[in-house]
């Protein structure tokens, strides 16, 4: 093989390597949300609550393609953090929590529970900073909750929104800022759920049927 052909092959190999590096650099920003979620300091309700977490919740992932040259594509996975937060929250709100392995259905035998909560993440939105040097992000999460009997009959259904904002711009990178904003949104969701749960009329009626006085949970 001539020296000229060897040089061409080397150039082709170098070009291919550069293309791979360039394509890797064009991939989306990925964030697997992680944080700490302390249990609520409240008096738990004397009930056993079943919880069914479908794939739409347990594997929740938000993605958005860049809309311009100065924007980035994002993939934000909140599923594991959702489970971690709601496990901690509900364990502090009720006497006992049982995570179900299948959705409740009529005539289905399974763990003895007073009711089953089925949460859904309906929507997640985020706002990027106006200037890339200011790493302050905002995240909104909209939930839908179903409270059903052990046999799957509806008891109550309602929606709830939460909001989180990166509390400081002095972070190392955008991924860290997005993660912190998501953690703040999850904590906000927990606070809203605690304060609103016993105030929902259909839930109040169900609590009265269980012999539990309708009252707000005390912190």
């Amino acid at each position: 093989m001539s020296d000229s052909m060897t040089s061409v092959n080397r150039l082709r190999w170098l070009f291919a390597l550069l293309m791979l590096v360039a394509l890797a650099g064009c991939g989306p920003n990925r964030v697997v949300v992680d944080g700490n979620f302390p249990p609520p300091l409240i008096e738990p309700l004397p009930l056993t609550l079943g919880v069914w977490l479908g794939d739409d919740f347990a594997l929740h992932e938000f993605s958005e393609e860049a809309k311009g040259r100065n924007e980035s594509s994002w993939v934000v996975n909140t599923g594991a953090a959702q489970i971690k937060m709601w496990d901690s929250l509900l364990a502090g709100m009720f006497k006992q929590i049982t995570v179900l392995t299948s959705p409740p259905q009529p005539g289905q035998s399974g763990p003895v529970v007073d009711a089953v909560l089925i949460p859904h993440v309906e929507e997640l939105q985020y706002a990027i900073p106006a200037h890339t040097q200011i790493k302050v992000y905002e995240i909104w999460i909209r939930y839908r909750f179903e409270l059903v009997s052990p046999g799957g009959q509806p008891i109550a259904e309602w929606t709830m929104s939460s909001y989180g904002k990166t509390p400081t711009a002095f972070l190392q990178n955008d991924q860290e800022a997005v993660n912190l904003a998501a953690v703040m949104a999850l904590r906000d969701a927990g606070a809203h759920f605690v304060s609103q749960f016993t105030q929902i009329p259909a839930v109040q009626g169900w609590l009265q049927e269980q012999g539990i006085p309708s009252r707000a949970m005390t912190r």
Side-chain angles (χ1 to χ4, degrees):
M1 181 180 294
S2 66
D3 291 341
S4 60
M5 288 298 294
T6 302
S7 298
V8 169
N9 289 334
R10 287 176 178 172
L11 287 173
R12 287 176 177 173
W13 180 85
L14 180 60
F15 178 75
L17 180 61
L18 291 174
M19 287 297 295
L20 287 174
V21 173
L23 289 173
C26 294
N29 293 303
R30 293 185 176 273
V31 177
V32 178
V33 178
D34 186 34
N36 294 318
F37 306 101
L41 300 177
I42 58 177
E43 180 183 350
L45 292 170
L47 297 168
T48 297
L49 183 73
V51 182
W52 164 245
L53 304 176
D55 288 346
D56 66 323
F57 188 87
L59 303 177
H60 180 263
E61 187 173 87
F62 167 82
S63 61
E64 183 166 287
E65 294 294 329
K67 297 182 176 64
R69 291 185 177 181
N70 295 327
E71 297 185 10
S72 301
S73 298
W74 285 93
V75 176
V76 181
N77 186 303
T78 72
Q82 295 277 3
I83 293 174
K84 184 177 180 181
M85 192 283 287
W86 289 100
D87 278 352
S88 176
L89 179 80
L90 296 174
M93 286 181 63
F94 296 88
K95 178 185 69 176
Q96 185 173 342
I97 295 297
T98 299
V99 178
L100 305 182
T101 57
S102 61
Q105 297 178 0
Q108 176 179 288
S109 61
V112 177
V113 297
D114 295 299
V116 178
L117 181 71
I118 307 174
H120 306 272
V121 178
E122 293 283 276
E123 187 178 11
L124 187 150
Q125 296 181 345
Y126 79 97
I128 62 175
H131 305 286
T132 55
Q133 284 76 20
I134 304 177
K135 296 178 175 60
V136 175
Y137 285 77
E138 297 174 286
I139 287 182
W140 294 263
I141 305 176
R142 185 162 63 90
Y143 293 90
R144 178 172 61 87
F145 298 98
E146 298 176 76
L147 185 67
V148 302
S149 72
Q153 290 79 24
I155 296 173
E157 184 172 353
W158 69 100
T159 59
M160 184 191 79
S161 296
S162 67
Y163 168 76
K165 179 180 180 181
T166 307
T168 176
F170 300 102
L171 295 172
Q172 293 184 356
N173 53 58
D174 291 330
Q175 286 86 350
E176 187 177 344
V178 169
N179 181 82
L180 190 51
V183 169
M184 299 302 290
L186 288 171
R187 291 177 179 175
D188 186 58
H192 278 76
F193 189 87
V194 168
S195 64
Q196 294 178 9
F197 181 74
T198 58
Q199 304 305 307
I200 298 165
V203 173
Q204 289 182 347
W206 173 71
L207 289 174
Q208 291 174 357
E209 292 175 359
Q210 308 303 309
I212 299 173
S214 177
R215 59 176 174 78
M217 293 183 181
T218 56
R219 292 180 179 275

